[in-house]
Amino acid sequence: MPKVSAEVLEARRREILDGARRTFARWGFEGATVRRLEEEIGVSRGAIFHHFRDKETLFLAVAEDDAMEMAETVARDGLVQVMRDLRSSDAGWLGTQLEVVRRMRTDPAFRRRWGARTQRLAKAAAERLQRQRDAGAVRDDVRVETQVAFLLLVMDGLVLHRAMGQPTGDLDAVLDLVESAVRRP
């Protein structure tokens, strides 16, 4: 049997994650059957489960992938930039986020496993806001933790709004207003 390069394996893993994201977004966790995953991804169950132990592991990998990307964006550009990026986000990302929220609400074991991951985004936002505060760009009359909570609540509302297909109007103007709420006047 020929040896497969690490690059080929990583490309296949990415392909599986991307297809799984679309499947979970469309069908939810329970409805994303192995057959549906195979059809959407275009590979056999053997190929899928060569990379991921089971459907739960695959879903967590998709959600973790999204969470890592968001945390990197927050650390580099801030939480408002994540919200700006939602304008062009595909339904897969939004669907995965909604499925994570649903499972956190209904599955205590999932909530425990995912809890540390949700803190990563809040920590990245708090660290960025603190750096911005130290540079004199962010208000210092409101605690950083309060600013993080405000921004996360706005983002959660925006995710829900987008997922329901509601028009966002002039999203740039709305997000400029959100950003001005944490900036130093």
Side-chain angles (χ1 to χ4, degrees), residues 13-25 29 32 37 41 48 52 54-70 90-97 99-100 103 110 114 117 120:
R13 184 179 183 282
R14 295 271 6 128
E15 177 185 340
I16 292 169
L17 287 172
D18 292 343
R21 180 177 291 106
R22 291 187 303 271
T23 307
F24 289 129
F29 180 78
L37 286 164
I41 298 167
I48 295 169
F52 302 95
D54 54 24
K55 187 170 82 166
E56 174 85 10
T57 304
L58 177 56
F59 178 76
L60 286 171
V62 168
E64 176 73 20
D65 192 51
D66 291 346
M68 290 291 291
E69 187 176 326
M70 278 178 39
D90 64 13
W93 183 88
L94 290 169
T96 301
Q97 294 306 304
E99 188 65 18
V100 165
R103 292 197 63 206
F110 180 84
W114 193 252
R117 291 171 176 95
R120 183 180 304 135

XYZ file of all heavy atoms in Angstrom, residues 13-25 29 32 37 41 48 52 54-70 90-97 99-100 103 110 114 117 120:
425
model
N -8.668 15.715 5.294
C -9.302 16.086 6.572
C -10.078 17.388 6.416
O -11.201 17.511 6.885
C -8.227 16.208 7.654
C -8.772 16.484 9.034
C -7.624 16.557 10.063
N -8.139 16.746 11.388
C -8.585 17.899 11.886
N -8.574 18.989 11.125
N -9.041 17.984 13.109
N -9.495 18.389 5.747
C -10.168 19.674 5.514
C -11.422 19.464 4.675
O -12.456 20.067 4.928
C -9.241 20.665 4.787
C -8.051 21.080 5.573
C -8.167 22.293 6.473
N -9.441 22.898 6.631
C -10.015 23.170 7.814
N -9.427 22.844 8.932
N -11.170 23.763 7.898
N -11.320 18.639 3.651
C -12.459 18.337 2.788
C -13.596 17.703 3.607
O -14.771 18.061 3.442
C -11.989 17.376 1.694
C -13.037 16.898 0.746
C -12.463 15.861 -0.223
O -11.231 15.804 -0.411
O -13.268 15.102 -0.785
N -13.241 16.799 4.494
C -14.239 16.153 5.349
C -14.866 17.176 6.287
O -16.091 17.218 6.451
C -13.613 14.978 6.128
C -13.246 13.853 5.151
C -14.549 14.471 7.225
C -12.376 12.756 5.753
N -14.057 18.032 6.904
C -14.595 19.063 7.805
C -15.534 20.007 7.062
O -16.609 20.347 7.571
C -13.455 19.858 8.457
C -12.664 19.145 9.543
C -11.454 19.969 9.951
C -13.536 18.846 10.742
N -15.150 20.445 5.884
C -15.988 21.374 5.122
C -17.322 20.740 4.745
O -18.381 21.361 4.878
C -15.259 21.866 3.870
C -14.071 22.758 4.188
O -13.985 23.268 5.332
O -13.214 22.942 3.298
N -17.292 19.497 4.282
C -18.530 18.803 3.940
C -19.385 18.516 5.163
O -20.620 18.630 5.116
N -18.736 18.154 6.255
C -19.474 17.893 7.500
C -20.136 19.171 8.009
O -21.276 19.147 8.484
C -18.535 17.316 8.552
N -19.455 20.300 7.886
C -20.027 21.593 8.311
C -21.320 21.861 7.542
O -22.335 22.246 8.125
C -19.014 22.708 8.071
C -19.490 24.091 8.475
C -18.406 25.147 8.280
N -17.327 24.940 9.234
C -16.122 24.449 8.927
N -15.826 24.142 7.672
N -15.204 24.284 9.856
N -21.301 21.630 6.242
C -22.505 21.833 5.430
C -23.618 20.860 5.846
O -24.787 21.244 5.930
C -22.184 21.658 3.942
C -21.314 22.754 3.354
C -21.157 22.639 1.849
N -20.612 21.371 1.408
C -19.308 21.109 1.264
N -18.417 22.056 1.528
N -18.915 19.919 0.833
N -23.248 19.619 6.107
C -24.239 18.603 6.481
C -24.854 18.913 7.833
O -26.084 18.852 7.998
C -23.592 17.199 6.492
O -22.943 16.978 5.242
C -24.633 16.123 6.724
N -24.034 19.247 8.826
C -24.558 19.577 10.150
C -25.421 20.836 10.088
O -26.439 20.937 10.777
C -23.427 19.767 11.165
C -22.728 18.501 11.548
C -21.354 18.401 11.489
C -23.440 17.389 11.988
C -20.689 17.235 11.849
C -22.803 16.213 12.357
C -21.420 16.133 12.287
N -25.023 21.800 9.255
C -25.804 23.032 9.127
C -27.181 22.737 8.543
O -28.184 23.289 8.980
C -25.068 24.043 8.255
N -27.319 17.934 14.132
C -26.472 16.810 14.528
C -27.181 15.475 14.320
O -26.633 14.554 13.722
C -26.039 16.958 15.993
C -25.163 15.842 16.464
C -23.819 15.811 16.124
C -25.678 14.808 17.226
C -23.002 14.765 16.538
C -24.874 13.762 17.642
C -23.533 13.744 17.299
N -27.802 14.537 10.600
C -26.604 14.349 9.774
C -26.172 12.888 9.886
O -25.224 12.538 10.571
C -25.485 15.287 10.227
N -23.599 12.339 5.385
C -22.214 12.812 5.421
C -21.439 12.283 4.219
O -20.729 13.044 3.545
C -21.530 12.380 6.725
C -21.949 13.143 7.979
C -21.528 12.388 9.227
C -21.361 14.544 7.986
N -19.930 14.881 1.461
C -18.472 14.976 1.414
C -17.922 14.321 0.152
O -16.916 14.757 -0.403
C -17.853 14.348 2.681
C -18.326 15.126 3.931
C -16.329 14.362 2.607
C -18.039 14.420 5.242
N -14.082 8.839 6.154
C -14.489 9.793 7.195
C -13.969 9.338 8.553
O -13.326 10.102 9.284
C -16.027 9.949 7.224
C -16.536 10.581 5.927
C -16.457 10.777 8.449
C -18.046 10.527 5.752
N -11.777 10.665 11.860
C -12.564 11.029 13.036
C -13.205 9.766 13.608
O -13.817 8.997 12.878
C -13.637 12.063 12.655
C -13.043 13.301 12.051
C -12.953 13.436 10.677
C -12.535 14.306 12.853
C -12.373 14.561 10.102
C -11.961 15.437 12.293
C -11.881 15.567 10.914
N -15.832 9.113 15.450
C -17.275 8.941 15.313
C -17.900 10.287 14.955
O -17.194 11.287 14.804
C -17.892 8.368 16.601
C -17.542 9.186 17.848
O -17.240 10.396 17.728
O -17.570 8.626 18.949
N -19.203 10.300 14.784
C -19.905 11.526 14.374
C -19.734 12.628 15.419
O -19.555 13.799 15.061
C -21.388 11.224 14.134
C -22.141 12.401 13.549
C -23.529 12.026 13.088
C -24.499 12.007 14.224
N -25.901 11.977 13.794
N -19.778 12.280 16.686
C -19.591 13.266 17.756
C -18.219 13.932 17.638
O -18.096 15.156 17.724
C -19.727 12.587 19.118
C -19.404 13.471 20.295
C -20.569 14.318 20.758
O -21.699 14.093 20.301
O -20.342 15.205 21.584
N -17.187 13.130 17.417
C -15.831 13.656 17.266
C -15.742 14.559 16.037
O -15.098 15.610 16.077
C -14.821 12.499 17.158
O -14.966 11.652 18.296
C -13.396 13.007 17.091
N -16.398 14.163 14.965
C -16.415 14.974 13.746
C -17.106 16.310 13.997
O -16.591 17.369 13.620
C -17.108 14.208 12.617
C -17.281 14.934 11.289
C -15.949 15.426 10.730
C -17.977 14.015 10.284
N -18.262 16.277 14.658
C -18.963 17.527 14.951
C -18.104 18.437 15.826
O -17.981 19.642 15.564
C -20.309 17.257 15.638
C -21.021 18.529 15.999
C -21.656 19.276 15.027
C -21.005 19.004 17.297
C -22.274 20.475 15.337
C -21.631 20.193 17.623
C -22.267 20.932 16.639
N -17.499 17.869 16.861
C -16.641 18.678 17.740
C -15.461 19.261 16.963
O -15.068 20.399 17.211
C -16.151 17.842 18.919
C -17.199 17.556 19.984
C -16.667 16.544 20.987
C -17.634 18.826 20.687
N -14.923 18.499 16.018
C -13.812 19.015 15.209
C -14.261 20.194 14.343
O -13.540 21.186 14.214
C -13.231 17.898 14.335
N -15.460 20.097 13.766
C -16.006 21.201 12.969
C -16.195 22.435 13.860
O -15.760 23.543 13.526
C -17.339 20.808 12.298
C -18.044 22.034 11.724
C -17.111 19.773 11.212
N -16.829 22.238 15.000
C -17.093 23.353 15.909
C -15.789 23.937 16.452
O -15.643 25.163 16.564
C -18.002 22.895 17.052
N -14.839 23.075 16.778
C -13.535 23.528 17.276
C -12.807 24.325 16.201
O -12.206 25.363 16.485
C -12.691 22.333 17.703
C -11.288 22.670 18.139
C -11.196 23.353 19.479
O -12.138 23.253 20.278
O -10.164 24.008 19.734
N -12.864 23.859 14.975
C -12.240 24.549 13.855
C -12.806 25.969 13.727
O -12.061 26.947 13.592
C -12.483 23.739 12.580
C -11.650 24.189 11.412
O -10.421 24.325 11.562
O -12.233 24.387 10.324
N -14.128 26.078 13.812
C -14.781 27.388 13.735
C -14.395 28.264 14.925
O -14.122 29.457 14.775
C -16.299 27.232 13.674
C -16.776 26.625 12.369
O -15.980 26.558 11.400
O -17.941 26.205 12.310
N -14.362 27.667 16.118
C -14.020 28.427 17.327
C -12.577 28.935 17.264
O -12.296 30.073 17.661
C -14.239 27.568 18.568
N -11.671 28.097 16.767
C -10.270 28.516 16.649
C -10.137 29.679 15.661
O -9.417 30.639 15.926
C -9.403 27.341 16.181
C -9.227 26.256 17.210
S -8.217 26.767 18.591
C -6.643 26.899 17.797
N -10.831 29.582 14.554
C -10.773 30.656 13.559
C -11.314 31.961 14.138
O -10.732 33.034 13.943
C -11.558 30.254 12.311
C -11.407 31.241 11.184
C -12.105 30.779 9.915
O -12.141 29.569 9.647
O -12.613 31.663 9.193
N -12.411 31.856 14.871
C -12.975 33.054 15.497
C -12.011 33.633 16.526
O -11.808 34.852 16.572
C -14.311 32.729 16.181
C -15.467 32.719 15.228
S -17.056 32.285 15.960
C -17.078 33.055 17.527
N -20.762 31.767 5.405
C -21.707 30.858 4.773
C -22.662 30.268 5.805
O -22.445 30.362 7.004
C -20.987 29.759 4.001
C -20.154 28.851 4.892
O -20.306 28.883 6.119
O -19.342 28.089 4.343
N -23.712 29.658 5.313
C -24.721 29.076 6.193
C -24.140 27.938 7.021
O -24.652 27.634 8.092
C -25.911 28.589 5.367
N -23.085 27.292 6.546
C -22.472 26.202 7.295
C -21.957 26.655 8.637
O -22.208 26.034 9.664
N -21.242 27.761 8.641
C -20.702 28.275 9.893
C -21.836 28.656 10.841
O -21.807 28.309 12.016
C -19.809 29.482 9.608
C -19.166 30.009 10.843
C -17.990 29.603 11.374
C -19.687 31.020 11.705
N -17.739 30.317 12.527
C -18.763 31.187 12.748
C -20.834 31.791 11.697
C -18.950 32.105 13.774
C -21.022 32.703 12.719
C -20.085 32.850 13.731
N -22.821 29.360 10.317
C -23.944 29.767 11.163
C -24.700 28.553 11.683
O -25.066 28.500 12.864
C -24.900 30.671 10.371
C -24.360 32.049 10.031
C -25.281 32.736 9.034
C -24.192 32.891 11.274
N -24.924 27.584 10.834
C -25.631 26.384 11.261
C -24.887 25.634 12.336
O -25.486 25.130 13.303
N -23.578 25.559 12.203
C -22.776 24.885 13.227
C -22.883 25.631 14.548
O -23.032 25.013 15.605
C -21.305 24.785 12.771
O -21.251 24.065 11.549
C -20.461 24.078 13.810
N -22.816 26.959 14.498
C -22.930 27.739 15.734
C -24.275 27.508 16.414
O -24.346 27.343 17.633
C -22.739 29.234 15.447
C -21.359 29.588 14.988
C -20.294 29.107 15.947
O -20.321 29.438 17.127
N -19.374 28.304 15.471
N -26.158 24.873 16.131
C -26.180 23.499 16.640
C -25.386 23.395 17.939
O -25.796 22.704 18.877
C -25.637 22.529 15.583
C -25.781 21.080 15.938
C -27.226 20.590 16.032
O -28.144 21.241 15.505
O -27.429 19.536 16.661
N -24.271 24.103 18.036
C -23.508 24.134 19.293
C -24.374 24.711 20.406
O -24.449 24.150 21.506
C -22.200 24.949 19.130
C -21.596 25.293 20.482
C -21.199 24.192 18.273
N -27.094 22.248 21.430
C -26.572 21.131 22.212
C -26.114 21.589 23.593
O -26.235 20.843 24.558
C -25.446 20.447 21.450
C -26.031 19.757 20.202
C -25.163 18.752 19.594
N -24.918 17.644 20.488
C -23.837 16.897 20.419
N -22.920 17.129 19.513
N -23.667 15.901 21.256
N -22.322 17.582 26.757
C -21.738 18.429 25.726
C -21.377 19.794 26.313
O -20.301 20.328 26.047
C -22.705 18.593 24.544
C -22.151 19.450 23.443
C -21.319 18.907 22.480
C -22.449 20.808 23.372
C -20.787 19.690 21.455
C -21.923 21.593 22.363
C -21.095 21.033 21.405
N -17.728 21.412 26.096
C -17.548 22.602 25.262
C -17.233 23.848 26.081
O -16.716 24.838 25.550
C -18.802 22.828 24.409
C -18.573 23.829 23.322
C -19.056 25.100 23.265
C -17.779 23.661 22.155
N -18.622 25.731 22.132
C -17.833 24.859 21.424
C -17.021 22.606 21.652
C -17.159 25.028 20.232
C -16.361 22.791 20.446
C -16.429 23.998 19.761
N -13.938 25.642 25.668
C -13.766 26.226 24.340
C -14.465 27.581 24.241
O -13.967 28.490 23.591
C -14.293 25.271 23.279
C -13.455 24.019 23.130
C -14.159 23.027 22.230
N -13.371 21.848 21.964
C -13.470 20.722 22.651
N -14.323 20.629 23.658
N -12.729 19.683 22.348
N -12.402 30.409 25.486
C -11.271 30.841 24.655
C -11.598 32.136 23.918
O -10.779 33.045 23.845
C -10.913 29.747 23.659
C -9.691 30.092 22.817
C -9.321 29.009 21.834
N -9.123 27.754 22.505
C -9.617 26.593 22.071
N -10.303 26.538 20.957
N -9.399 25.496 22.732
